[in-house]
């Protein structure tokens, strides 16, 4: 993947400040530390996406805020803390099969570097990328226009299809780091093709937490 170019900024800019901090930062010690300035951080901390390597970085709040400007062309992007649910979400006949996701769970996000939506689903090896048919995903968006509110690279749409079928599917918008947290939890307990009982329990617990944090957004409503 081609690395995203860094911004052209003067030495007093956000990236200039970070370069000076990185040059002077102390050696890493035990415990969680900001991956930019090396200060200690709590277990619950913010993340930014490294656009060049598509990696999540654990950061302190001041470093996070340097990259929180919406739409800014930066090498790093802050992951927001927004949770939305879509009570009017629906999957038309054959839509899930058309997406070619082999399990009943996947998250979708816009990769701005590739200029396309990509899909990942969980399994015993972690997050597996799906060969997402563009037309099939476009049809889902056409039926659910509220989903277009997702921010590229840092937010994702998590869709869960129950065993009863696509009619009971649910969809949430959440931070991309929460999706990778879920994949990590499932990887540790995944058994067989569908994950098994422990994986389903983890899913139920995760979605219960997401539900508590989510703000309902009906189709076409304001964010």
């Amino acid at each position: 993947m081609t690395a995203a170019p860094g911004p052209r900024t003067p030495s007093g800019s956000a990236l200039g400040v970070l370069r000076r901090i990185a040059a002077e930062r102390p050696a890493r010690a035990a415990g969680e530390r900001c991956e930019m300035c090396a200060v200690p951080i709590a277990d619950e901390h913010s993340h930014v996406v490294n656009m060049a390597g598509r990696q999540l970085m654990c950061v302190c709040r001041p470093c996070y805020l340097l990259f929180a400007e919406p739409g800014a062309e930066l090498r790093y992007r802050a992951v927001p803390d927004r949770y939305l649910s879509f009570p009017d979400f629906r999957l038309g006949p054959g839509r899930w099969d058309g997406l070619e996701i082999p399990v009943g769970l996947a998250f979708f996000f816009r990769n701005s570097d590739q200029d396309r939506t990509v899909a990942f689903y969980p399994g015993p090896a972690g997050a597996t990328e799906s060969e997402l048919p563009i037309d099939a995903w476009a049809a889902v968006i056409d039926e659910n226009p509220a989903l277009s509110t997702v921010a590229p690279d840092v937010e994702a749409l998590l869709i869960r299809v129950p065993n009863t079928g696509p009619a009971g599917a649910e969809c949430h918008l959440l931070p991309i780091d929460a999706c990778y947290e879920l994949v990590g939890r499932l990887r540790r307990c995944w058994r067989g093709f569908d994950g098994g009982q422990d994986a389903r329990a983890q899913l139920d617990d995760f979605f219960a937490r997401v539900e508590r944090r989510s703000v309902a957004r009906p189709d076409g409503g304001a964010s």
Side-chain angles (χ1 to χ4, degrees):
M1 182 183 302
T2 303
R8 297 179 180 178
T9 53
S11 59
S13 67
L15 286 184
V17 171
L18 283 178
R19 290 191 185 102
R20 292 198 299 275
I21 292 173
E24 300 170 0
R25 69 185 184 183
R28 293 180 65 86
E32 288 281 358
R33 287 184 174 269
C34 174
E35 294 185 62
M36 287 186 167
C37 70
V39 301
I41 54 178
D43 291 340
E44 294 290 331
H45 52 259
S46 302
H47 294 95
V48 299
V49 173
N50 180 343
M51 298 299 294
R54 318 303 299 187
Q55 298 134 340
L56 284 174
M57 299 176 64
C58 303
V59 295
C60 65
R61 192 65 181 175
C63 287
Y64 172 89
L65 293 175
L66 289 173
F67 306 102
E69 182 66 26
E73 294 296 327
L74 300 174
R75 184 184 181 91
Y76 304 94
R77 291 186 186 172
V79 178
D81 189 27
R82 183 170 67 148
Y83 287 77
L84 298 177
S85 62
F86 301 92
D88 298 328
F89 176 72
R90 61 187 180 277
L91 285 173
R95 289 286 184 248
W96 190 251
D97 290 339
L99 294 175
E100 299 179 6
I101 306 294
V103 296
L105 181 75
F107 65 91
F108 306 78
F109 69 93
R110 185 76 181 174
N111 184 316
S112 59
D113 188 49
Q114 299 180 12
D115 192 26
R116 68 185 182 94
T117 296
V118 295
F120 288 84
Y121 59 89
T128 300
E129 184 172 0
S130 169
E131 295 295 330
L132 184 66
I134 296 176
D135 291 343
W137 179 246
V140 173
I141 296 297
D142 287 344
E143 293 176 347
N144 302 274
L147 302 187
S148 61
T149 188
V150 63
D153 305 302
V154 292
E155 292 183 326
L157 296 167
L158 182 64
I159 299 178
R160 184 184 190 185
V161 178
N163 293 333
T164 53
E170 58 182 308
C171 178
H172 295 268
L173 182 152
L174 64 168
I176 191 71
D177 52 3
C179 292
Y180 285 113
E181 174 200 344
L182 173 61
V183 169
R185 291 173 59 178
L186 293 178
R187 181 176 58 184
R188 291 191 290 270
C189 64
W190 194 275
R191 298 292 182 272
F193 178 74
D194 64 353
Q197 183 176 353
D198 289 345
R200 288 192 290 274
Q202 287 282 352
L203 270 178
D204 290 340
D205 176 70
F206 182 85
F207 271 86
R209 290 196 292 120
V210 169
E211 284 281 2
R212 289 194 296 269
R213 300 188 66 173
S214 292
V215 175
R217 182 184 174 185
D219 239 5
S223 175

